[in-house]
Amino acid sequence: MRSEEFKNPEQELYRFRQRVAVAGVAVLIAFVLLFARFFYLQVVKHEYYRTRAEDNRISLVPVVPNRGLIVDRNGIVLARNYSAYTLEITPSKVKDLDALIDELATLVDIQPRDRKRFRKLLEESKNFESLPIRTRLTDEEVARFVAQRYRFPGADIKARLFRQYPLGEVASHAIGYIGRVNDRDLERIEREEQEANYRGTEHFGKTGLEQRYEFDLHGRSGFEQVEVDAGGRAVRVLERMPPIPGNNLTLTLDVKLQEVAEKAFGERRGALVAIEPATGGILALVSMPGYDPNLFVDGIDPQNWDLLNNSPDKPMVNRALNGAYPPGSTFKPFMALAALTLGKRTPQQAIADPGYFVFGGHRFRDDKVGGHGMVDMYKSIVHSCDTYYYVLANDMGIDNIAKFMRQLGFGSRTGIDIDGESEGVLPSQEWKKKRFKKPEQQKWYAGETISIGIGQGYNAYTPIQLAQATAALANNGVMYRPHLVRYVENSRTGERRMIEPEPLRTVPLKPEHVEIIKQAMVGVNKEGTGARAFAGAEYVAAGKTGTAQVFSLKGEKYHEGRVKEELRDHALFIAFAPADNPRIALAVLVENGGFGAQAAAPIARQVFDYYLLGKLPKGAAPVDEAGGDGD
Amino acid sequence: MTAINLRELWRRLVDPIDPVLFGLLAVLLVYALMVLASATNDFIGRFYSQLVNLGVALAVMRVAAQIPPQRLMHLALPVYIGGLLLLVAVALFGDVSKGARRWLNLGFARIQPSEIMKIAMPLMLAWYFQKREALLRWKDYVIAVAILAVPVLLIAKQPDLGTAILVLASGFFVIFLAGLSWKLILPVAVAGVIGIGALVAFEGEICQPEVKWPLLKDYQKHRVCTLLDPGSDPLGKGFHTIQSTIAVGSGGVLGKGWFKGTQTHLEFLPERHTDFIFAVLSEEFGLVGNAFLLILYALFIGRALMIAANAPTLFSRLLGGSISLIFFTYAFVNMGMVSGILPVVGVPLPFVSYGGTALVTLMLGVGILMSINRHRMLVQK
């Protein structure tokens, strides 16, 4: 073994201090180097950098790309761009804004609402951008301003691209809208590392497809190196990197069908989701009332904003994705399917229905006084017998129900390509434990299972979940992720990125069980609760009506005239057609519509008639081109 | 009576705090807050939240100053191993954001384990050398390099070049101060200079988009290339460097004045309150302001090195020395990148940049230095 070098502490300390001294000298040298660099930049090259800082803001101008188009499955344009002149003011260059606007008003028509909107933009904006006081100037107005431009430092005319939604309110909740970039959007841009690309961009998708596909639709910014005069106006372009326009979206949505569906609602509130069962492609996504997305494009004025936000009809809420409603009797076919699959019932097994079911001293009533007599599975669906399902729910138990329904997508986000979808509530023992804090509320009581069987109780699902489950049933258990975009198309090369149908899962169902349920649902429209709505149909449709109680009036103020309507039940209907080879499956919900058979089923009938036969409802014109002028 | 109690309380509170180090730090912090006020002008909430961060960081410093170095020694191995395991966990289950896997979601909080390594690394290496003090051989340096390399590679893989550099530096300082032979240091230094020289000379060829660089991600290559030629991507990656250089240069000798920087307030400076805050300082306070900051840092680091040089044990010497030099590394890398002589890596300006995590880590370092100083005196007593 080699002898270890003996270390003298004194000597070691000496060496350490030597090293520290070396390090100290290195630090000093590095700092002197930095100082030299600062000296070079701040003294030697100061003039150069001073000039660059001076003309910095104007020398390099980003060129915003054309935003991609959105078209429906047949190529009808839902969102496009047009270019128009705007009159803009850069507030940081102006001393007295009001005086300037008053002056401008002598040349250009400026309404009080323009001023209000400008004020709102001013509050939201960062200090140094230019903001529009008037958009869509006429040629004459442009000419008048240009002739007198010298009088208005800080104001200028700009050619800008505007987003336009030619169909106005139609499909507004699916398409969404764009608005001016705000702090939250900036965060998303930063997260995606798109700061450079968005340097000149003023608009950003806020909701719907415009939001989800923002980075597809936006494109790549180009830039221009421009020479500017003392007033900051571009004199000539030195160098140009053209922008790359955004990608176009082609949807699975059929906008004509969408319009038929929206018209069928009339003035009523509600939602409808129609899905192509074999692909998960969404054919129509209705949430009524809608709103005019054109209002948002160049900043909505406060008046319209209040109108939309404070309306008791809540037009800004996407009911199809964010409304959670008890499914009522539309839940019964799924309950029956669960019973067959889990072996809890045979189709022939019948009960004698006295018109109620007693459990724990409480009497659960059927709609029909005196009951339906002997009821087997077929009859329970066709005539919507409640007692049958009270008993069934009790026999199955809450966790069995929850486990089965979860597979059909109840209580989970469907994954549709729009952000912010709600989960709904799939009640189970576990759910209740999580939902409530107090131990006595956390316990699940067997009595609570009873009304789950008829789609009441804690049950709450979004219309899109209901439509997805219906499509899954129509498709014999094969489930696809619902989606609105069929393909994303590169606007220059025409190259398409298909959004392939994405199989979520195959629910393990026996074909003979599915057939029994389908036959019963055909029976509903032939001889049951849906028969009236589907009288004389030239195709075979399967359906189920539903009526869901609204019981949330505790503690709310009494509003005369409104309360009565708000107390009314929600009307529901699920359906698919043709029954033997379903091309369309849907769920309809009419808020406070009363009976599902009366309010919701006829809407489904009109949608099917149009989609399967091309038949328009009486008195309806083909796709109208009503622009979204708003008010 | 209460007066006496309060005085006693105050005495206990400030007792472990080194007045010289803290005095310099206080001046630095006041200066930093002035700059931050300007940088966060239109987002004043950030200024207040930095005040909160500062309070937390000072508390951490005070607590660390209380812990005797011997106690820290016992912590070295567990903290290092814990940090290493967390880094492995990040590599396996970390959250991905902005294309990098840096965060670990613990359910109740998200942590960035690489931050722990900034302190754990010098602790561990100082502990190791202390343990082997009497019989140090070349083999020990090899082991030390391994202790250093594993976490650094894990962090560089995330990828987080800025933190990797800081951890690498902190470990290297310990090894250097422990007496690594010059024969080994000099060749590496020479190779580094030649490598950087070659990079500058052949920039045209190797920055072509087809050329892939070994070990580095595309965005890292991009950063080096934009440093060499910022004009190649004026709106993208080069934007930071171009704009910050303009800010520094346009500041001149005396600066444009507090709150008067046009680059800052016209929003041409990206990340002006975080990594690029030095550009704000430069623009508004000019060469004079820069010199003042450099002098403050130099004095602060000088004092810290003195504490290390006078420490009683090898462990506290190495730890103190490494921490002192880490402050320098932060400052040098940050000011270098803002003034355009180093590539843009995510390293904040120490004690000045907005951000709680870095501030807490730095103050922890200050606290350890104070503890080393105080316990030297205690030993002498």
Side-chain angles (χ1 to χ4, degrees), chain B residues 340-375:
Chain B
I341 54 174
L342 291 177
V344 176
V345 290
V347 173
L349 189 63
F351 307 110
V352 184
S353 282
Y354 173 86
T357 317
L359 196 59
V360 167
T361 312
L362 287 162
M363 288 295 203
L364 184 62
V366 177
I368 290 174
L369 278 168
M370 287 176 173
S371 152
I372 290 171
N373 190 38
R374 174 167 185 256
H375 290 90

Side-chain angles (χ1 to χ4, degrees), chain B residues 100-113:
Chain B
R101 196 183 288 277
R102 297 174 184 173
W103 295 85
L104 195 62
N105 199 334
L106 297 180
F108 56 94
R110 263 159 47 101
I111 59 164
Q112 202 175 350

Side-chain angles (χ1 to χ4, degrees), chain A residues 317-376:
Chain A
V317 174
N318 189 345
R319 291 170 160 80
L321 269 54
N322 295 112
Y325 305 86
S329 300
T330 61
F331 206 48
K332 288 174 182 167
F334 304 110
M335 282 295 293
L337 187 58
L340 291 172
T341 308
L342 302 178
K344 297 277 181 189
R345 287 286 184 281
T346 66
Q348 294 75 29
Q349 217 172 325
I351 62 156
D353 170 21
Y356 55 84
F357 172 61
V358 180
F359 183 87
H362 182 79
R363 187 176 272 220
F364 292 85
R365 285 170 205 290
D366 198 299
D367 278 346
K368 191 169 174 184
V369 184
H372 293 273
M374 288 304 286
V375 180
D376 64 1

Side-chain angles (χ1 to χ4, degrees), chain A residues 551-629:
Chain A
F551 35 48
S552 63
L553 228 85
K554 290 169 209 153
E556 271 182 36
K557 267 199 182 156
Y558 181 85
H559 274 284
E560 217 182 5
R562 277 213 71 82
V563 149
K564 218 173 165 193
E565 198 193 325
E566 280 171 13
L567 263 172
R568 237 180 267 164
D569 296 339
H570 295 325
L572 291 113
F573 193 68
I574 59 170
F576 56 89
D580 53 350
N581 178 25
R583 288 167 52 205
I584 179 169
L586 56 70
V588 189
L589 168 114
V590 181
E591 276 187 13
N592 314 118
F595 288 117
Q598 266 166 25
I603 295 177
R605 171 75 193 267
Q606 287 185 29
V607 168
F608 283 175
D609 276 359
Y610 176 77
Y611 191 69
L612 299 173
L613 310 171
K615 235 164 60 180
L616 285 168
K618 272 171 235 134
V623 168
D624 72 80
E625 59 282 54
D629 280 340

Side-chain angles (χ1 to χ4, degrees), chain A residues 448-554:
Chain A
E448 292 174 320
T449 309
I450 312 290
S451 44
I452 298 294
I454 60 158
Q456 294 285 159
Y458 291 117
N459 273 317
Y461 308 114
T462 59
I464 192 169
Q465 285 170 3
L466 206 51
Q468 187 191 33
T470 309
L473 176 66
N475 213 25
N476 305 320
V478 183
M479 290 182 72
Y480 288 96
R481 186 176 66 86
H483 58 277
L484 274 162
V485 173
R486 220 167 123 210
Y487 54 84
V488 179
E489 185 182 34
N490 185 316
S491 55
R492 280 196 316 176
T493 61
E495 198 184 312
R496 288 174 181 185
R497 192 176 87 226
M498 298 301 293
I499 308 289
E500 300 295 341
E502 217 178 284
L504 284 175
R505 61 183 161 270
T506 302
V507 186
L509 301 171
K510 291 225 168 80
E512 59 269 29
H513 292 162
V514 174
E515 204 42 47
I516 288 162
I517 303 298
K518 284 185 176 177
Q519 281 315 315
M521 286 175 71
V522 168
V524 168
N525 287 351
K526 211 158 47 190
E527 50 176 327
T529 50
R532 237 169 87 200
F534 279 87
E538 295 166 44
Y539 47 85
V540 181
K544 180 73 195 81
T545 55
T547 307
Q549 284 163 11
V550 182
F551 35 48
S552 63
L553 228 85
K554 290 169 209 153

Side-chain angles (χ1 to χ4, degrees), chain A residues 428-445 448 458:
Chain A
S428 65
Q429 297 200 48
E430 200 193 329
W431 167 80
K432 210 176 171 201
K433 221 171 268 166
K434 277 192 196 141
R435 168 70 181 72
F436 293 103
K437 294 254 158 53
K438 291 185 198 152
E440 69 269 22
Q441 286 176 316
Q442 287 182 328
K443 187 180 180 323
W444 183 271
Y445 297 96
E448 292 174 320
Y458 291 117

Side-chain angles (χ1 to χ4, degrees), chain B residues 59-137:
Chain B
V60 167
M61 178 198 85
R62 172 61 186 76
V63 171
Q66 186 85 41
I67 304 172
Q70 290 91 317
R71 177 83 59 78
L72 288 177
M73 249 178 89
H74 295 306
L75 286 175
L77 191 60
V79 169
Y80 174 82
I81 291 188
L84 197 59
L85 289 177
L86 285 173
L87 280 178
V88 172
V90 168
L92 296 177
F93 332 99
D95 285 355
V96 178
S97 102
K98 290 194 182 181
R101 196 183 288 277
R102 297 174 184 173
W103 295 85
L104 195 62
N105 199 334
L106 297 180
F108 56 94
R110 263 159 47 101
I111 59 164
Q112 202 175 350
S114 52
E115 199 65 30
I116 297 171
M117 268 297 157
K118 287 182 186 166
I119 293 292
M121 180 59 71
L123 260 182
M124 173 68 191
L125 284 173
W127 170 82
Y128 181 75
F129 282 116
Q130 164 89 53
K131 222 177 82 140
R132 311 284 300 169
E133 185 176 16
L135 20 119
L136 211 51
R137 283 192 297 172

Side-chain angles (χ1 to χ4, degrees), chain B residues 187-204:
Chain B
V188 173
V190 170
V193 170
I194 291 175
I196 291 169
L199 206 60
V200 175
F202 297 108
E203 179 250 321

